Amino acid sequence: MSQVRVLGELAVLDDVGPARRGRAYPAAGATSALLLPAAVLLGGLVLWPVLRTMHASVTTDGRWVGASHFRSALAAPGTGAVVGRTVLWALLVPAVVTALGYLLAAASRRSQEGGLVRLILLVPVALPLVVTGVTFRLMYDPDPSRGLATLVATRLTGRPVEDAPQLLGPGMVTVALMSAFVWAWVGLAVLVFRSALDAVPPSLADAVRAYGGTRRHVLWDAQWRPLLLRTTAVVFALVAVGTSRTFDLILVMTPGSVRDEASVLALRIWQTSGVTTTGDGAALGVVWLVAVIGGIMVAALFVRQAWPPPRVEAAPEPAPVAPPRRVFRLLAAGAAIAWLVPLAVLVATSAHGRVDAAARGWWSTPPNGESYRDLVTGTELWRTLGFTLLLATAVTATVLVVALLAAYPLAWLTGPAAQATGLLLLAASVVPIQVIAGPVNEVLGLVLSSGTAQGLALVHIALGVPFAVLVLRNAFADLPVEQVRDARLGGRRWWHTLRRLARHNLSAVVAVSVLEFVQVWNDLVVGRLFGGPGSSPLGPFLAEQTRSFVSNSGALAASSVLASVLPVVLVVLSRRHLVAGLVSGGVR
């Protein structure tokens, strides 16, 4: 491409020949400048902390000790059970979420009530896991006069009240935690599977039937083999990585007396090291890091595809598909009702005052709104909400700018370079913060004061950039050649081209913005590890109130409801963009 003067005006002459994606890439000098902010953030707050953790796992005061820390960490009392419980979470919970997600997506497809069902299932996705923990702890309260699930279990088993099943006791606490996590994540799986089902051409099923295929053949050859196997792998991998956030649930939902019986590596590493770097904690972190990154790499290779992906021509309008059978529609409606019960418990409890909520169940007395009145007239919650809003907005804006700058030159890579870049970004996006908390705190100590709002924001930005770059890079590379050429011809400088490309990819930009904002708003672990007295966001604020859970349950429920309004509204309004962004970012 060249620029010449024609009648005194600057004109851009496009190259002759077939269209090439490379026509939109910036010059070498601009590329280095565009990648620099992301490289500094990822190098200083992700890569170096990972290397520092690995070094600490095999040394003591700079002296090589080999596998000594690994042996002592794994031989510590209870570590074997913690590792086994972590593996169980990473295998069983994603399998349940994936299976339920597919069944409910198929059952709610192309029916009058299907949209409402999916909307109900989606709401828990947007809730902070702290709020999910509060909700299910209210339901599983060991006193049948307060806990709805305990009351129902007591009556179903025919036990006396004093011998009520302890759903948060040592024997059932892991099952209770898993049920809360499944409730929170199934809606995401439903949306992704629904998108995949809608993309399957009905003509495939017709072709299978024309050759004598049965219902089983139609399911396998016309749905699973062309698209749903890959979708299943994506959903399973997303949920498996999401189980690393069980820290939030365990910390909020489990009573202190049974926390060890529910502990996983996310909690054990925090208990071992906190925001310092210790040998045993680093060894456990390396074990966890290798497992997480290894698992996500296997999933990424399973769903790999050509890069850039082949352009699919616009297909004709699909033929109408018959709605699911009545039994499946009833299944979807029943699931929606079941998913509403925890939300109803949270809202109903929030409508009672401190004394009523602590003494008896929400169904025993009429609501009085006392908890909301106390919160509205106070200042602490509003101050926390204001700080969290500013933090989430600033982090989201910074992540979006840094990710757009880096995604622009990376989108035009092809072949092995593009695949390697995608795998590196994917690996960086799943590094658990507990694993690198000590080294990150050391870096913050060099550039900022520890426990400041600036340091907290910087950690959030570094953790959010890899996934944002991955999604936007894929979105840019997916653009039709005509739009790429239009952006290049219409922009005299690289920033003009970038702005036009971002305008063509508005859906991906919205997805990245909403995901990052909700992630920061709903966060607990980063705020707990790197926040301070003047920089405590919403998650740690709510978690702190659970220390006196029963006596504070009314105010805690009301705070949880108020804290959930904004993320729920954002996720519901942008759900279509979120699905497109997750699928794009997860499979390439």
Side-chain angles (χ1 to χ4, degrees):
M1 183 174 293
S2 57
Q3 296 179 343
V4 297
R5 291 278 178 179
V6 178
L7 300 178
E9 296 293 331
L10 187 66
V12 180
L13 302 181
D14 199 10
D15 297 336
V16 177
R20 294 181 293 111
R21 290 182 179 274
R23 286 178 178 167
Y25 66 76
T31 296
S32 301
L34 293 173
L35 293 175
L36 184 61
V40 170
L41 284 168
L42 296 182
L45 290 172
V46 178
L47 178 58
W48 186 87
V50 167
L51 297 176
R52 174 73 176 91
T53 299
M54 296 175 67
H55 179 264
S57 70
V58 293
T59 60
T60 298
D61 297 329
R63 180 173 51 86
W64 175 267
V65 296
S68 175
H69 292 310
F70 290 91
R71 287 193 294 267
S72 61
L74 294 175
T79 301
V82 168
V83 173
R85 208 174 290 119
T86 304
V87 173
L88 183 66
W89 269 93
L91 296 178
L92 179 59
V93 172
V96 173
V97 171
T98 303
L100 278 177
Y102 171 73
L103 289 175
L104 294 175
S108 62
R109 189 186 182 204
R110 302 189 187 280
S111 60
Q112 293 180 349
E113 69 280 3
L116 179 60
V117 168
R118 290 189 297 275
L119 186 62
I120 292 172
L121 296 176
L122 178 64
V123 170
V125 175
L127 297 181
L129 272 181
V130 175
V131 173
T132 300
V134 169
T135 301
F136 276 79
R137 189 164 175 180
L138 290 171
M139 287 186 59
Y140 294 154
D141 192 294
D143 189 343
S145 66
R146 293 193 303 267
L148 179 62
T150 306
L151 175 64
V152 172
T154 301
R155 293 185 176 177
L156 289 177
T157 57
R159 296 185 182 185
V161 173
E162 58 273 10
D163 190 30
Q166 298 299 296
L167 302 178
L168 292 178
M172 291 291 295
V173 64
T174 296
V175 176
L177 288 165
M178 288 181 174
S179 68
F181 192 91
V182 169
W183 179 80
W185 277 73
V186 159
L188 177 63
V190 169
L191 285 184
V192 176
F193 273 115
R194 168 63 195 278
S195 178
L197 286 169
D198 288 347
V200 175
S203 57
L204 285 179
D206 296 337
V208 173
R209 293 190 191 97
Y211 281 92
T214 63
R215 185 182 297 272
R216 179 175 61 84
H217 293 113
V218 170
L219 177 65
W220 176 251
D221 293 323
Q223 290 187 358
W224 282 97
R225 287 180 62 185
L227 188 60
L228 292 183
L229 276 177
R230 174 176 292 172
T231 305
T232 299
V234 171
V235 171
F236 191 97
L238 285 173
V239 180
V241 172
T243 58
S244 63
R245 295 184 58 202
T246 50
F247 175 91
D248 301 34
L249 275 181
I250 295 173
L251 203 64
V252 172
M253 190 172 158
T254 58
S257 59
V258 297
R259 193 161 289 164
D260 288 341
E261 284 75 12
S263 182
V264 294
L265 281 174
L267 186 66
R268 175 60 68 93
I269 293 172
W270 172 69
Q271 291 173 330
T272 304
S273 297
V275 290
T276 61
T277 305
T278 65
D280 287 3
L284 285 177
V286 169
V287 171
W288 190 23
L289 184 64
V290 169
V292 170
I293 293 181
I296 200 67
M297 288 299 176
V298 171
L301 292 175
F302 180 76
V303 299
R304 67 187 183 277
Q305 64 185 55
W307 183 264
R311 175 60 47 191
V312 179
E313 298 298 331
E317 190 70 20
V321 176
R325 294 182 179 181
R326 182 177 179 82
V327 63
F328 293 111
R329 296 172 66 180
L330 291 175
L331 170 67
I337 294 173
W339 254 248
L340 279 175
V341 170
L343 295 174
V345 169
L346 179 68
V347 174
T349 304
S350 70
H352 291 76
R354 183 184 299 270
V355 175
D356 287 343
R360 58 189 68 87
W362 51 268
W363 59 87
S364 303
T365 56
N368 53 30
E370 180 183 329
S371 295
Y372 285 106
R373 284 195 296 270
D374 292 342
L375 288 174
V376 170
T377 55
T379 60
E380 189 174 10
L381 176 63
W382 298 116
R383 184 167 55 248
T384 303
L385 287 172
F387 173 78
T388 308
L389 179 62
L390 290 175
L391 176 69
T393 303
V395 169
T396 301
T398 307
V399 167
L400 185 60
V401 170
V402 173
L404 281 170
L405 295 178
Y408 174 44
L410 293 178
W412 319 119
L413 295 176
T414 58
Q419 298 287 357
T421 301
L423 291 176
L424 287 174
L425 290 171
L426 192 58
S429 65
V430 299
V431 172
I433 185 58
Q434 294 96 320
V435 173
I436 59 174
V440 168
N441 198 49
E442 294 173 8
V443 174
L444 292 180
L446 294 175
V447 298
L448 294 166
S449 321
S450 185
T452 63
Q454 295 88 343
L456 184 61
L458 195 61
V459 175
H460 275 299
I461 293 168
L463 295 177
V465 161
F467 186 73
V469 173
L470 188 65
V471 172
L472 292 172
R473 180 201 76 146
N474 297 337
F476 283 168
D478 274 354
L479 280 176
V481 175
E482 294 75 18
Q483 291 185 354
V484 175
R485 178 174 295 179
D486 173 70
R488 185 70 174 101
L489 293 176
R492 297 193 177 189
R493 298 289 186 271
W494 64 262
W495 53 86
H496 299 139
T497 304
L498 175 57
R499 186 173 66 247
R500 287 173 173 267
L501 291 173
R503 192 182 307 145
H504 289 313
N505 273 304
L506 187 59
S507 178
V509 172
V510 171
V512 166
S513 302
V514 172
L515 286 170
E516 185 59 33
F517 185 94
V518 171
Q519 171 67 25
V520 177
W521 182 276
N522 292 350
D523 169 72
L524 169 62
V525 62
V526 175
R528 194 175 185 95
L529 289 173
F530 303 103
S535 57
S536 180
L538 192 58
F541 171 80
L542 294 176
E544 192 66 25
Q545 295 188 48
T546 62
R547 292 180 179 274
S548 303
F549 191 89
V550 174
S551 62
N552 203 31
S553 56
L556 182 56
S559 300
S560 298
V561 170
L562 294 177
S564 303
V565 172
L566 183 56
V568 167
V569 170
L570 286 176
V571 168
V572 168
L573 293 179
S574 63
R575 58 190 180 276
R576 299 182 187 277
H577 300 297
L578 293 181
V579 172
L582 283 174
V583 173
S584 175
V587 301
R588 302 190 190 111

